[in-house]
Short mmCIF file of all heavy atoms in Angstrom, two decimals:
data_model
loop_
_atom_site.label_atom_id
_atom_site.label_comp_id
_atom_site.label_asym_id
_atom_site.label_seq_id
_atom_site.Cartn_x
_atom_site.Cartn_y
_atom_site.Cartn_z
N SER A 28 11.32 6.69 -21.25
CA SER A 28 11.70 7.95 -20.59
C SER A 28 10.64 9.04 -20.74
O SER A 28 10.70 10.05 -20.02
CB SER A 28 13.04 8.45 -21.13
OG SER A 28 12.94 8.61 -22.53
N SER A 30 7.58 11.25 -20.18
CA SER A 30 6.74 11.49 -19.00
C SER A 30 5.52 12.33 -19.36
O SER A 30 4.78 12.77 -18.49
CB SER A 30 7.55 12.19 -17.91
OG SER A 30 8.07 13.41 -18.43
N ASP A 34 3.18 14.54 -16.95
CA ASP A 34 3.52 15.93 -16.62
C ASP A 34 2.84 16.96 -17.50
O ASP A 34 2.99 18.16 -17.27
CB ASP A 34 5.04 16.14 -16.53
CG ASP A 34 5.79 15.89 -17.81
OD1 ASP A 34 5.18 16.02 -18.89
OD2 ASP A 34 7.00 15.58 -17.73
N LEU A 37 1.16 19.94 -16.06
CA LEU A 37 1.88 21.14 -15.62
C LEU A 37 1.87 22.25 -16.68
O LEU A 37 2.51 23.28 -16.50
CB LEU A 37 3.35 20.79 -15.31
CG LEU A 37 3.62 19.79 -14.17
CD1 LEU A 37 5.12 19.50 -14.08
CD2 LEU A 37 3.13 20.36 -12.84
N GLU A 89 9.73 13.86 -24.99
CA GLU A 89 9.86 13.52 -23.56
C GLU A 89 8.81 14.10 -22.62
O GLU A 89 8.04 13.39 -22.03
CB GLU A 89 11.24 13.92 -23.00
CG GLU A 89 12.39 13.09 -23.48
CD GLU A 89 13.72 13.53 -22.84
OE1 GLU A 89 13.75 14.03 -21.71
OE2 GLU A 89 14.73 13.35 -23.53
N ASP A 90 8.89 15.43 -22.46
CA ASP A 90 8.08 15.98 -21.37
C ASP A 90 7.34 17.25 -21.78
O ASP A 90 7.45 17.72 -22.91
CB ASP A 90 8.95 16.22 -20.13
CG ASP A 90 10.14 17.12 -20.41
OD1 ASP A 90 10.08 17.92 -21.37
OD2 ASP A 90 11.15 17.02 -19.68
N VAL A 91 6.63 17.80 -20.83
CA VAL A 91 5.81 18.99 -21.09
C VAL A 91 6.68 20.19 -21.50
O VAL A 91 6.31 20.98 -22.38
CB VAL A 91 4.94 19.32 -19.85
CG1 VAL A 91 5.78 19.71 -18.65
CG2 VAL A 91 3.89 20.40 -20.14
N HIS A 92 7.85 20.28 -20.90
CA HIS A 92 8.71 21.44 -21.17
C HIS A 92 9.16 21.47 -22.62
O HIS A 92 9.10 22.48 -23.29
CB HIS A 92 9.94 21.45 -20.24
CG HIS A 92 9.64 20.95 -18.87
ND1 HIS A 92 8.84 21.66 -18.02
CD2 HIS A 92 9.99 19.80 -18.22
CE1 HIS A 92 8.72 20.97 -16.88
NE2 HIS A 92 9.40 19.84 -16.99
N SER A 115 17.43 25.75 -17.22
CA SER A 115 17.56 24.30 -17.40
C SER A 115 16.20 23.70 -17.10
O SER A 115 15.40 24.30 -16.38
CB SER A 115 18.60 23.76 -16.42
OG SER A 115 18.40 22.39 -16.20
N ARG A 116 15.95 22.51 -17.63
CA ARG A 116 14.71 21.85 -17.23
C ARG A 116 14.75 21.52 -15.74
O ARG A 116 13.72 21.30 -15.12
CB ARG A 116 14.48 20.59 -18.06
CG ARG A 116 13.81 20.88 -19.39
CD ARG A 116 13.50 19.60 -20.12
NE ARG A 116 14.70 18.88 -20.47
CZ ARG A 116 14.78 17.57 -20.66
NH1 ARG A 116 13.71 16.82 -20.51
NH2 ARG A 116 15.91 16.99 -21.00
N ASN A 117 15.96 21.51 -15.18
CA ASN A 117 16.06 21.18 -13.76
C ASN A 117 15.45 22.27 -12.87
O ASN A 117 14.70 21.97 -11.95
CB ASN A 117 17.52 20.95 -13.36
CG ASN A 117 18.14 19.81 -14.16
OD1 ASN A 117 17.43 19.10 -14.86
ND2 ASN A 117 19.45 19.64 -14.07
N VAL A 120 11.48 22.49 -14.00
CA VAL A 120 10.50 21.53 -13.47
C VAL A 120 10.28 21.76 -11.97
O VAL A 120 9.16 21.65 -11.47
CB VAL A 120 10.88 20.07 -13.79
CG1 VAL A 120 12.07 19.58 -12.98
CG2 VAL A 120 9.69 19.15 -13.56
N ARG A 239 13.26 17.88 -3.07
CA ARG A 239 11.87 17.48 -3.29
C ARG A 239 11.16 17.31 -1.93
O ARG A 239 10.12 16.67 -1.85
CB ARG A 239 11.77 16.17 -4.09
CG ARG A 239 12.21 16.29 -5.54
CD ARG A 239 11.30 17.17 -6.38
NE ARG A 239 11.69 17.23 -7.77
CZ ARG A 239 12.60 18.08 -8.29
NH1 ARG A 239 13.21 18.95 -7.50
NH2 ARG A 239 12.89 18.06 -9.57
N TYR A 324 20.40 17.17 -9.62
CA TYR A 324 19.27 16.53 -10.29
C TYR A 324 19.60 15.11 -10.76
O TYR A 324 20.70 14.84 -11.23
CB TYR A 324 18.81 17.37 -11.51
CG TYR A 324 17.65 16.72 -12.23
CD1 TYR A 324 16.35 16.88 -11.77
CD2 TYR A 324 17.87 15.90 -13.34
CE1 TYR A 324 15.27 16.24 -12.40
CE2 TYR A 324 16.80 15.27 -13.98
CZ TYR A 324 15.52 15.44 -13.50
OH TYR A 324 14.47 14.81 -14.11
N ASN A 325 18.66 14.23 -10.60
CA ASN A 325 18.75 12.87 -11.19
C ASN A 325 17.40 12.58 -11.83
O ASN A 325 16.36 13.00 -11.32
CB ASN A 325 19.00 11.83 -10.11
CG ASN A 325 20.30 12.08 -9.37
OD1 ASN A 325 21.36 11.61 -9.77
ND2 ASN A 325 20.24 12.83 -8.28
N ARG A 326 17.46 11.83 -12.91
CA ARG A 326 16.23 11.61 -13.67
C ARG A 326 15.17 10.84 -12.87
O ARG A 326 13.98 10.91 -13.18
CB ARG A 326 16.57 10.87 -14.98
CG ARG A 326 15.42 10.78 -15.97
CD ARG A 326 15.03 12.14 -16.54
NE ARG A 326 13.95 12.03 -17.50
CZ ARG A 326 14.12 11.84 -18.81
NH1 ARG A 326 15.33 11.78 -19.33
NH2 ARG A 326 13.08 11.74 -19.60
N ASP A 327 15.63 10.10 -11.87
CA ASP A 327 14.67 9.41 -10.99
C ASP A 327 13.53 10.34 -10.56
O ASP A 327 12.39 9.93 -10.41
CB ASP A 327 15.34 8.91 -9.70
CG ASP A 327 16.68 8.23 -9.90
OD1 ASP A 327 17.50 8.78 -10.67
OD2 ASP A 327 16.89 7.18 -9.27
N MET A 328 13.93 11.58 -10.34
CA MET A 328 12.98 12.56 -9.79
C MET A 328 11.75 12.77 -10.67
O MET A 328 10.72 13.23 -10.19
CB MET A 328 13.68 13.91 -9.60
CG MET A 328 14.66 13.92 -8.48
SD MET A 328 15.51 15.48 -8.53
CE MET A 328 16.45 15.35 -7.02
N GLN A 329 11.91 12.46 -11.93
CA GLN A 329 10.77 12.61 -12.84
C GLN A 329 9.54 11.87 -12.32
O GLN A 329 8.41 12.30 -12.55
CB GLN A 329 11.19 12.07 -14.22
CG GLN A 329 10.09 12.01 -15.24
CD GLN A 329 10.65 11.79 -16.63
OE1 GLN A 329 11.33 12.67 -17.18
NE2 GLN A 329 10.42 10.63 -17.21
N ASP A 330 9.78 10.77 -11.62
CA ASP A 330 8.65 9.94 -11.17
C ASP A 330 7.93 10.50 -9.93
O ASP A 330 6.95 9.92 -9.48
CB ASP A 330 9.12 8.51 -10.88
CG ASP A 330 9.30 7.72 -12.17
OD1 ASP A 330 8.70 8.13 -13.19
OD2 ASP A 330 10.02 6.70 -12.16
N ASP A 331 8.44 11.60 -9.40
CA ASP A 331 7.75 12.16 -8.22
C ASP A 331 6.32 12.58 -8.55
O ASP A 331 5.42 12.49 -7.72
CB ASP A 331 8.54 13.37 -7.65
CG ASP A 331 8.74 14.50 -8.66
OD1 ASP A 331 8.33 14.37 -9.83
OD2 ASP A 331 9.34 15.54 -8.27
N LYS A 332 6.12 12.99 -9.80
CA LYS A 332 4.80 13.56 -10.16
C LYS A 332 3.68 12.54 -10.09
O LYS A 332 2.59 12.81 -9.58
CB LYS A 332 4.86 14.18 -11.54
CG LYS A 332 5.67 15.45 -11.54
CD LYS A 332 6.08 15.87 -12.92
CE LYS A 332 7.45 16.46 -12.94
NZ LYS A 332 8.55 15.46 -12.80
N1 LIG B 1 10.92 15.62 -17.18
C1 LIG B 1 11.98 15.89 -16.28
C2 LIG B 1 11.50 15.76 -14.84
O1 LIG B 1 10.34 15.85 -14.64
C3 LIG B 1 12.47 17.28 -16.50
C4 LIG B 1 13.87 17.49 -16.09
C5 LIG B 1 14.79 16.79 -16.99
N2 LIG B 1 16.13 17.19 -16.81
C6 LIG B 1 17.12 16.54 -17.34
N3 LIG B 1 18.31 17.01 -17.12
N4 LIG B 1 16.97 15.44 -18.05
O2 LIG B 1 12.26 15.54 -13.93
#
Side-chain angles (χ1 to χ4, degrees):
S28 57
S30 57
D34 63 25
L37 297 176
E89 289 182 29
D90 56 24
V91 65
H92 324 292
S115 158
R116 276 185 296 155
N117 300 351
V120 72
R239 292 293 183 274
Y324 179 82
N325 299 272
R326 190 67 179 270
D327 315 45
M328 289 173 173
Q329 174 166 293
D330 282 340
D331 59 357
K332 289 163 217 75

